[in-house]
Amino acid sequence: MTGWSEFALAMGLFIASHVLAVRPALKAPLVRALGPRGFTLFYSALSLALLVWLVAAAGRAPFLPLWAPAPWQAALALVLMLASCLLIAYAAAGTNPLSFGSRAEPFDPAQPGIAGVSRHPVLLALALWAFAHVVANGDLAHVALFAPLGLFALAGMAAIDRRKRRTLRDWPALARNTSLVPLSALVAGRWRPGFPRIAPALAAILAWAALIGLHPVIIGPDPLVWFR
């Protein structure tokens, strides 16, 4: 299998796994067979395995440069990755019944927390992670890898909103002070952030530092190569 054919196959299976797994005709029997928690674990493991294969396949694809690397690209990617870590940390520590990655209860619509920044903080974090790697990698294979993943994450926000509108009877009250477009509730005056908790921020910074340190060991490229 050549580099491009492996990459195309990995991308096709990755997208198919996310599109098909949410269709009731396939999801329902899997949930019955595995249970809700078992299905979540199975789906998460499958997604992670396909993503690892997809990233590896992009690395084996022919190298076709699109632009020259520069220090500002690495700096921007580091900033976007810090924002991504912060979003995931505050999502994990908070409550948000409008998406995934957080506990559903107790949720106060008047003080929605991270949902005031984004109703879908984990998907926004994934989009930032993807676009950070578009900026930092200037070759065709990695742009073809990360740009669709970023767009896929953004499209997922609208898809979850459509599903939640159907399944949550109190959707208007729950969502009124939250943001589909990041920080739109703040700009519109519907939400004012309180003083953020320190623990999620510290966890995010530690995770960000660990990702930077482990990146050369596990992935290969050194994110700090321009600054050494």
Side-chain angles (χ1 to χ4, degrees):
M1 184 178 292
T2 65
W4 285 118
S5 60
E6 180 190 7
F7 175 77
L9 177 61
M11 177 64 81
L13 290 176
F14 181 83
I15 293 175
S17 71
H18 286 73
V19 172
L20 295 176
V22 299
R23 297 186 67 84
L26 180 60
K27 182 178 179 179
L30 287 174
V31 171
R32 286 195 298 269
L34 302 174
R37 183 172 176 80
F39 172 78
T40 299
L41 292 173
F42 166 76
Y43 182 59
S44 299
L46 176 64
S47 297
L48 181 60
L50 288 173
L51 180 60
V52 170
W53 178 32
L54 182 55
V55 172
R60 289 190 285 267
F63 181 80
L64 297 174
L66 299 178
W67 59 75
W72 72 265
Q73 297 164 3
L76 178 58
L78 289 171
V79 171
L80 292 176
M81 284 304 301
L82 177 57
S84 179
C85 290
L86 287 167
L87 285 165
I88 291 175
Y90 277 99
T95 56
N96 179 10
L98 304 172
S99 192
F100 64 92
S102 304
R103 291 174 290 116
E105 300 292 342
F107 179 73
D108 182 1
Q111 297 177 330
I114 190 62
V117 178
S118 171
R119 268 202 298 274
H120 308 287
V122 175
L123 284 175
L124 179 58
L126 292 174
L128 292 179
W129 165 80
F131 293 134
H133 286 77
V134 169
V135 172
N137 293 277
D139 65 288
L140 178 60
H142 284 93
V143 171
L145 164 64
F146 289 112
L149 292 181
L151 295 174
F152 195 63
L154 294 178
M157 298 181 186
I160 291 176
D161 269 11
R162 288 194 298 271
R163 186 165 70 249
K164 292 293 184 177
R165 281 192 179 96
R166 294 194 305 268
T167 58
L168 293 176
R169 290 184 298 176
D170 51 352
W171 162 270
L174 291 172
R176 67 176 184 267
N177 296 325
T178 65
S179 303
L180 177 60
V181 177
L183 296 175
S184 59
L186 176 64
V187 174
R190 293 182 283 109
W191 170 68
R192 290 291 179 267
F195 190 80
R197 286 181 288 173
I198 300 300
L202 292 177
I205 292 171
L206 289 174
W208 179 64
L211 289 171
I212 293 172
L214 293 174
H215 202 278
V217 178
I218 298 176
I219 306 299
D222 183 356
L224 301 179
V225 65
W226 288 102
F227 313 108
R228 297 189 186 282

